[in-house]
């Protein structure tokens, strides 16, 4: 099991480039299933989850080529099966994103139910509700979703809960349906917008992406396209939050300030001097300790749940008391138990966490529990006296490309024990 050894040291300083967004690249790679012509995806991050998606597509007979370090070409002309097996789906819930494209383009799909994960039950009932509304016959058997439909029909689909991959799955399915599909209460995340951009490059007719109502006019076929994945706003926010926690000055390049307004507001409230350009964001704490900030996670454009753990770590070191409310997932405080081992002062009461900041933390052996939480543990370890060992860092490899290399380039004393993914 890979481990990180991190010595608590001074402020992070320097420049780091953001990779392409994992949560845009995943649905975009699956969108290739909608066409028999190649989809070229650039600025595609080199991550465990991307590797899993490539494996999943390849085992379906789809041709997947790594054309350059960050460019993948996917050609579904060679597809041989419509099955997404449990052994791959259980390692990455986002595999459910092959469901909509397979039914729409191939008339059937057999996708293992993803099951829950550390942060919650993660049901897919809304994905299935939407496909049923479009005319698919759905049966659940042996832990698999079996979906069949010769030709999906456009429908009006109302999500009672905002779902990112639910919106993405049904938007993809609707591109080849008969007639118009309207998605109401749709997710507004930038990754949904980026997927729509890619689908339109393939010839899809979509409008309203980025708003709560998305309209899709079905077309008969989609064609080859090239798409550059948008920057990863969560990776960007993670490095900016780490700069704030360590009282440093960090510039993140290859990113877009418009993707994380709510996070930038919170960084300013924490006392950071935030400067931005078209493709960079800089946080400068001017050597000062951060101020505690209250966090209430919401669907985009609200404060992202994927940044909650990082801001809990920031608040553990901030001046004052903060209240964090996690409204998206039912169990997204596992990182709190690990932060408590570093001497943090956190009280959890249901969906609310109350954090009293401390000047410094104290090193201890801890364990990564889920993808974003693990980055929060790195941040806290950088502000803990002594040497912290973080176990199970494979969680980080799922969502951050070369996280230890990027932190080290900013001055962190961090080293990996075990094999590097890459
Ligand atoms: C996406 O997950 C992201 N993953 C998550 O990022 C992110 O935390 C989440 O959106 C929220 O922003 C990808 O994009 C691959 P949801 P998703 O469907 O789509 C409930 C990361 O670290 N729900 O928006 O699975 C669900 O239980 C990951 O990169 C239903 O009830 O999340 C949750 O409470 C972690 N029924 C809420 O909706 C459904 O059919 C939001 O979930 C679907 C969802």
């Amino acid at each position: 099991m890979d481990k990180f050894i991190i010595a608590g040291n001074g402020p992070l300083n320097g420049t780091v480039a953001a990779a392409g967004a994992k949560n845009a690249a995943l649905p975009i790679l699956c969108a290739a299933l909608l066409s028999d012509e190649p989809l070229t995806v650039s600025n595609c991050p080199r991550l465990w989850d991307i590797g899993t998606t490539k494996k999943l597509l390849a085992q379906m007979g789809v041709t997947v080529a790594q054309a350059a370090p960050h460019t993948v070409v996917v050609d579904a002309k060679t597809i041989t099966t419509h099955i997404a097996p449990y052994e791959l789906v259980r390692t990455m819930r986002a595999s459910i994103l092959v469901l909509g494209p397979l039914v729409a383009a191939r008339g059937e799909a057999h996708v293992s139910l993803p099951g829950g994960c550390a942060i919650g039950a993660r049901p897919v009932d809304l994905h299935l509700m939407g496909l049923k509304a479009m005319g698919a016959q759905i049966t659940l058997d042996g832990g698999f979703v079996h979906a069949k439909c010769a030709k999906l029909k456009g429908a009006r689909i109302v999500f009672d809960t905002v779902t990112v991959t639910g919106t993405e799955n049904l938007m993809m399915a609707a591109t080849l349906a008969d007639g118009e599909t309207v998605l109401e209460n749709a997710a507004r995340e930038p990754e949904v917008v980026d997927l729509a951009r890619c689908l339109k490059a393939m010839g899809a007719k979509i409008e309203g992406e980025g708003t709560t109502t998305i309209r899709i006019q079905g077309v008969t076929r989609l064609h080859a396209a090239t798409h550059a994945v948008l920057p990863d706003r969560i990776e960007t926010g993670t490095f900016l939050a780490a700069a704030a926690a360590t009282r440093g000055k960090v510039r993140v390049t290859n990113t877009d300030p418009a993707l994380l307004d709510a996070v930038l507001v919170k960084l300013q409230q924490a006392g950071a001097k935030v400067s931005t350009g078209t493709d960079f964001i800089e946080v400068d704490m001017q050597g000062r300790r951060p101020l505690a900030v209250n966090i209430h996670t919401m669907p985009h454009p609200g404060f992202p749940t994927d940044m909650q753990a990082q801001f809990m770590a920031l608040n553990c070191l901030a001046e004052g008391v903060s209240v964090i409310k996690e409204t998206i997932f039912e169990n997204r405080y596992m990182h709190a138990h690990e932060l408590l081992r570093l001497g943090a002062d956190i009280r959890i009461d249901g969906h609310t966490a109350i954090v009293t900041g401390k000047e410094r933390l104290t090193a201890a052996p801890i364990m990564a529990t889920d993808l974003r939480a693990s980055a929060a543990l790195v941040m806290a370890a950088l502000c803990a006296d002594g040497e912290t060992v973080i176990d199970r860092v494979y969680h980080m490899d799922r969502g951050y490309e070369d996280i230890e290399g990027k932190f080290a380039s900013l001055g962190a004393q961090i080293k990996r024990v075990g094999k590097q993914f890459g």
Side-chain angles (χ1 to χ4, degrees), residues 17-214:
K22 166 178 87 77
N23 289 352
L26 295 178
I28 285 167
L29 291 172
C30 297
L33 293 167
L34 292 163
S35 167
D36 282 341
E37 297 181 19
L39 176 62
T40 302
V41 184
S42 62
N43 199 34
C44 190
R46 296 178 68 85
L47 302 170
W48 195 276
D49 277 7
I50 299 294
T52 304
T53 306
K54 287 161 60 180
K55 245 186 257 157
L56 176 62
L57 294 169
Q59 63 86 38
M60 285 182 192
V62 174
T63 309
V64 183
Q66 190 76 36
H70 291 94
T71 302
V72 181
V73 182
V74 185
D75 188 346
K77 187 168 68 276
T78 55
I79 192 168
T80 53
T81 167
H82 314 131
I83 297 173
Y86 178 59
E87 57 274 7
L88 277 173
V89 173
R90 71 190 170 93
T91 65
M92 186 188 68
R93 311 186 55 269
S95 310
I96 194 72
L97 286 163
V98 301
L99 179 64
L102 283 174
V103 179
R106 319 281 159 181
E108 64 175 319
H110 307 276
V111 179
S112 168
L113 275 167
C117 76
I119 62 178
R122 312 291 294 275
V124 292
D125 56 307
L126 298 176
H127 300 236
L128 305 183
M129 171 276 291
L131 286 173
K132 268 191 208 137
M134 296 171 81
Q137 290 83 39
I138 305 271
T139 51
L140 300 181
D141 175 31
F144 270 79
V145 178
H146 302 278
K148 266 177 98 70
C149 186
K151 183 78 177 161
L152 291 172
K153 286 190 183 30
R156 182 167 177 273
I157 297 164
V158 183
F159 293 108
D160 62 7
T161 309
V162 175
T163 163
V164 173
T165 48
T167 300
E168 292 167 344
N169 231 337
L170 295 169
M171 182 166 71
M172 287 192 281
T175 58
L176 295 178
D178 237 350
E180 179 183 61
T181 297
V182 180
L183 303 180
E184 299 282 8
N185 198 25
R188 299 171 57 189
E189 271 67 7
E191 293 74 32
V192 174
V193 175
D194 204 43
L195 171 62
R197 227 179 264 132
C198 175
L199 292 168
K200 287 157 93 165
M202 294 168 73
K205 290 192 168 37
I206 301 172
E207 54 186 36
E209 65 273 18
T211 75
T212 53
T213 302
I214 302 177

Side-chain angles (χ1 to χ4, degrees), residues 242-259:
T246 59
R247 311 184 191 187
K249 178 179 177 182
V250 169
R251 172 174 291 212
V252 180
T253 57
N254 290 11
T255 191
D256 175 358
L259 298 175

